[in-house]
């Protein structure tokens, strides 16, 4: 039972509590889905679906810059969208919004997706959030946590404003990565090998952050296999699963010669010549690679008597370091489910870190996307004057302190807060190992 001063939550336990949490979370997402939509990303999802409809494939026309995995998800969505008559067009070009394209902000377009299309794009992501909440609940219980802790963990995810924002407003696919990674961990702990390999490959090719946890995964599989005398077989099964999945995913791109196009999202960033951008990426890369080495070593040293606990802590630490590669709010969703599990199953102090990360990410996302998220509400629903939204976007990107605008100041403050949460989480995770090292050195001296 969860208690707050003067408030009792007797219902928030067990499967019943989980069901109520999921229903509330779904309701909140469906409430904001038609009202607020960040215009930049979802416009591109519409372009990609239109390319697929007209037989141009993912890379036949400009508009798709990711690896094929998200494109396949969109292709699957186009199947269920096809019978819906109101979705014969994904968006329309509005004359009153033409001024938005000249604003000094990234990616705004006078072509605005329809309310029906916005909701249709968000529904699968809302389902993903619900599945992830269930997986968090299940993994916490599998690790010995009681139903109350499992429900709290599910609630931190399902009712968390950042997660609601990403699926209900931004319609960004990073929640899928979070779901896949916690599912990989859950299946590995339960003894599966081939299927986690397949899912890990899909996650890594959706966005590459999981690659920084690959050695932690393999070391865990080796140690678990040694306990059962099946280490070579287990590693082979996992590698086969990952390899087969990667080949299947990339066969179409290899055959039609668009393999390099599928890497444009990363190559375009590598070709950026801005000094501060390069410095930021270089520092992030050092942190990500350092975390990969550090937590792989911790896993290799077989931390503690509980191998499963060490595995989850090490993979969470490696992913926390990996997302430092870029200051973008949605990337933390790849590790947030596992961070929540660590907080509820092992170290309650990590709850504060998870909340700081989520709040900072929400602030950074909202600051970078407001008032662009009001475009659909103005032209589709008539809730406000489109000219007002255009004026706000201009004002929002106008420098107010030197070259800094409300847009850049708000985004940077959110990023600082988010990274403070990541640093706090890493300090908590590394505190025990560092103390043991210091104790051994003092004992040796």
């Amino acid at each position: 039972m969860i208690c707050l001063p003067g408030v009792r939550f007797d219902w928030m336990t067990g499967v019943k509590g989980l069901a109520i949490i999921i229903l509330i979370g779904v309701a909140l997402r469906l409430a904001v889905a038609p009202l607020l939509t960040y215009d930049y990303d979802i416009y591109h999802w519409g372009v990609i679906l239109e390319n697929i409809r007209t037989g141009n494939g993912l890379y036949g026309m400009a508009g798709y810059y990711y690896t094929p995995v998200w494109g396949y998800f969109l292709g699957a969505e186009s199947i269920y969208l096809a019978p819906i008559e109101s979705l014969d067009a994904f968006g329309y070009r509005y004359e009153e919004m033409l001024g938005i394209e000249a604003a000094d902000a990234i990616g705004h377009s006078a072509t605005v997706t329809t309310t029906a299309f916005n909701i249709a794009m968000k529904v699968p992501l809302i389902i993903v959030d619900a599945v992830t909440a269930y997986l968090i609940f299940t993994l916490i219980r599998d690790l010995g946590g009681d139903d109350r802790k499992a429900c709290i963990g599910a609630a931190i995810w399902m009712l968390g404003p950042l997660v609601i924002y990403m699926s209900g407003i931004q319609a960004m696919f990073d929640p899928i990565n979070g779901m896949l990674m916690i599912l990989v961990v859950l299946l590995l702990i339960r003894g599966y090998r081939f299927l986690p390999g397949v899912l890990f490959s899909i996650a890594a090719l959706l966005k590459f952050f999981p690659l920084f946890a690959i050695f932690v995964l393999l070391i865990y599989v080796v140690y678990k296999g040694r306990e059962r005398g099946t280490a070579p077989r287990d590693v082979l099964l996992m590698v086969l699963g990952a390899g087969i999945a990667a080949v299947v995913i990339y066969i179409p791109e290899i055959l039609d010669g668009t393999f390099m196009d599928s890497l444009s999202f990363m190559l375009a960033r590598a070709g950026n010549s801005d000094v501060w951008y390069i410095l930021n990426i270089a520092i992030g890369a050092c942190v990500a690679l350092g975390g990969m080495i550090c937590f792989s070593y911790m896993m290799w040293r077989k931390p503690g008597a509980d191998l499963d606990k060490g595995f989850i802590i090490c993979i969470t630490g490696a992913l926390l370091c990996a997302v430092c590669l870029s200051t973008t709010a949605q990337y933390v969703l790849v590790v947030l489910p596992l961070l929540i599990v660590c907080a509820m199953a092992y170290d309650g102090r990590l709850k504060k870190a998870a909340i700081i990360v989520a709040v900072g990410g929400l602030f950074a996302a909202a600051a970078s996307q407001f008032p662009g998220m009001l475009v659909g509400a103005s032209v589709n629903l008539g809730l406000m004057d489109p000219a007002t939204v255009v004026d706000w976007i201009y004002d929002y990107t106008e420098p107010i302190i030197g070259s800094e605008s409300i847009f850049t100041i708000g985004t940077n403050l959110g990023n600082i807060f988010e990274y403070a949460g990541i640093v706090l989480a890493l300090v908590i995770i590394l505190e025990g190992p560092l103390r043991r090292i210091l104790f051994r050195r003092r004992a040796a001296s």
Side-chain angles (χ1 to χ4, degrees):
M1 182 180 68
I2 298 173
C3 295
L4 294 173
V7 183
R8 297 177 66 86
F9 293 87
D10 301 273
W11 52 268
M12 201 171 169
T13 55
V15 177
K16 177 184 177 182
L18 174 65
I20 294 173
I21 289 166
I22 290 176
L23 288 174
I24 293 173
V26 169
L28 290 172
R29 287 160 174 77
L30 292 178
V32 299
L35 300 176
L36 300 172
T37 299
Y38 178 47
D39 56 330
Y40 177 69
D41 291 319
I42 206 159
Y43 162 74
H44 283 86
W45 307 158
V47 170
I48 297 161
L49 280 170
E50 193 60 40
N51 288 348
I52 294 172
R53 273 189 176 184
T54 55
N56 289 298
L58 294 178
Y59 305 102
M61 297 179 67
Y64 188 65
Y65 309 104
Y66 295 100
T67 56
V69 178
W70 176 234
Y72 297 155
F73 275 104
L74 288 174
E77 288 187 39
S78 69
I79 296 173
Y80 89 84
L81 294 179
I84 305 175
E85 293 184 2
S86 60
L87 286 171
D88 57 338
F90 299 143
Y92 299 94
R93 194 159 180 81
Y94 290 89
E95 182 179 350
E96 57 266 48
M97 298 303 296
L98 289 173
I100 203 175
E101 295 182 347
D104 186 21
I106 299 174
H108 293 293
S109 173
T111 302
V112 182
T113 52
T114 66
T115 301
F117 178 75
N118 294 343
I119 295 173
M121 285 293 98
K122 294 172 183 179
V123 166
L125 297 175
I126 293 172
I127 295 172
V128 166
D129 284 350
V131 172
T132 305
Y134 171 77
L135 293 174
I136 291 171
F137 176 88
T138 302
L139 184 53
I140 292 172
R141 289 211 303 185
D142 279 7
L143 296 171
D146 57 34
D147 283 357
R148 181 178 68 87
K149 288 184 177 180
C151 279
I152 294 173
I156 293 174
W157 171 266
M158 198 65 192
L159 306 181
L162 175 62
V163 186
I164 292 173
Y165 186 96
M166 288 303 162
S167 56
I169 296 176
Q170 187 171 339
M172 180 50 75
F173 56 85
D174 293 78
I176 300 175
N177 246 12
M179 178 191 71
L180 290 173
M181 285 310 298
I182 192 172
L183 184 55
V184 166
V185 169
L186 178 64
L187 290 174
L188 283 175
I189 289 175
R190 290 189 172 185
Y192 294 88
R193 295 296 177 260
F194 183 81
L195 181 55
V198 172
L199 296 175
F200 178 79
S201 186
I202 294 171
L205 292 175
L206 186 60
K207 282 191 178 174
F208 59 87
F209 299 111
L211 285 174
F212 290 90
I214 187 168
F215 294 122
V216 173
L217 288 167
L218 290 174
I219 293 168
Y220 173 78
V221 170
V222 169
Y223 278 143
K224 273 292 186 181
R226 284 180 180 175
E227 293 177 358
R228 302 183 299 181
T230 58
R233 170 184 171 275
D234 290 351
V235 172
L236 179 61
L237 281 173
M238 188 168 179
V239 171
L240 274 175
I244 291 171
V247 170
V248 170
I249 287 169
Y250 265 104
I251 280 177
E253 283 63 44
I254 294 172
L255 292 178
D256 64 15
T258 58
F259 176 79
M260 293 305 297
D261 292 327
S262 73
L263 304 178
S264 60
F265 181 77
M266 291 179 286
L267 295 177
R269 283 156 173 74
N272 193 316
S273 59
D274 180 75
V275 174
W276 288 109
Y277 179 86
I278 294 173
L279 180 62
N280 182 50
I281 291 296
I283 294 172
C286 289
V287 173
L289 290 172
M292 182 182 187
I293 295 169
C294 171
F295 287 103
S296 297
Y297 176 75
M298 284 176 59
M299 191 69 229
W300 177 65
R301 290 296 299 267
K302 199 175 181 181
D306 188 341
L307 183 59
D308 293 343
K309 175 182 177 180
F311 169 51
I312 294 176
I313 289 175
C314 287
I315 195 171
T316 300
L319 290 174
L320 282 168
C321 293
V323 297
C324 291
L325 268 169
S326 177
T327 54
T328 306
Q330 65 263 25
Y331 293 163
V332 299
L333 296 186
V334 68
V335 66
L336 189 56
L338 289 171
L339 182 58
I340 292 169
V341 170
C342 286
M344 301 313 303
Y346 300 131
D347 194 329
R349 295 176 299 169
L350 287 170
K351 280 188 291 186
K352 293 180 181 178
I355 291 170
I356 292 172
V357 167
V359 171
L362 173 67
F363 191 86
S368 66
Q369 297 170 12
F370 181 85
M373 66 179 76
L374 301 174
V375 170
S378 65
V379 297
N380 292 332
L381 304 177
L383 298 180
M384 58 195 312
D385 184 3
T388 300
V389 176
V390 174
D391 290 340
W392 283 359
I393 289 176
Y394 273 96
D395 293 340
Y396 199 64
T397 56
E398 189 73 22
I400 57 173
I401 301 176
S403 61
E404 301 299 320
S405 63
I406 299 174
F407 169 85
T408 57
I409 293 172
T411 303
N412 290 334
L413 286 175
N415 287 332
I416 291 171
F417 205 67
E418 180 182 358
Y419 278 89
I422 291 174
V423 170
L424 176 60
L426 289 171
V427 168
I428 293 171
I429 289 172
L430 292 171
E431 179 186 13
L434 289 176
R435 281 186 176 180
R436 286 194 292 271
I437 292 172
L438 291 173
F439 178 79
R440 283 198 296 268
R441 288 186 175 179
R442 287 178 181 175
S445 61

